[in-house]
């Protein structure tokens, strides 16, 4: 889980967005999910982790939020 969270943090920083926004965009998770993961050490399912990684790979950091493709 720590590895996934580090990937999400790095991706979010590269995109200039919050990690919670990545979770909302990638897997329709609540805005509080990131805080729960960080605070409680909560985990996600393998399917959710795959969905998040797929989203990040399909939306590379060089595409800034609000920029046209």
């Amino acid at each position: 889980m720590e590895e996934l969270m580090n990937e999400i943090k790095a991706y979010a920083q590269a995109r200039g967005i919050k990690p919670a926004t990545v979770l909302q965009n990638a897997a329709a998770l609540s805005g509080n999910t990131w805080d729960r993961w960080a605070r409680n050490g909560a985990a996600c399912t393998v399917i959710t982790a795959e969905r998040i990684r797929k989203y990040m790979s399909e939306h590379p950091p060089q595409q800034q939020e609000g920029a046209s493709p």
Side-chain angles (χ1 to χ4, degrees):
M1 186 66 185
E2 185 176 335
E3 181 180 336
L4 175 62
M5 290 185 71
N6 287 336
E7 290 173 33
I8 294 168
K9 280 189 241 181
Y11 176 83
Q13 184 176 12
R15 294 285 308 262
I17 59 178
K18 295 178 181 181
T21 303
V22 176
L23 299 182
Q24 290 171 327
N25 293 341
L29 297 172
S30 117
N32 297 326
T33 302
W34 179 260
D35 290 335
R36 279 196 317 272
W37 287 1
R39 185 179 53 246
N40 301 330
C44 67
T45 65
V46 171
I47 293 170
T48 299
E50 289 174 354
R51 187 179 300 152
I52 293 166
R53 286 184 170 122
K54 181 180 179 190
Y55 173 85
M56 292 189 300
S57 71
E58 291 177 350
H59 301 87
Q62 61 268 24
Q63 294 179 343
Q64 294 296 317
E65 289 294 311
S68 13

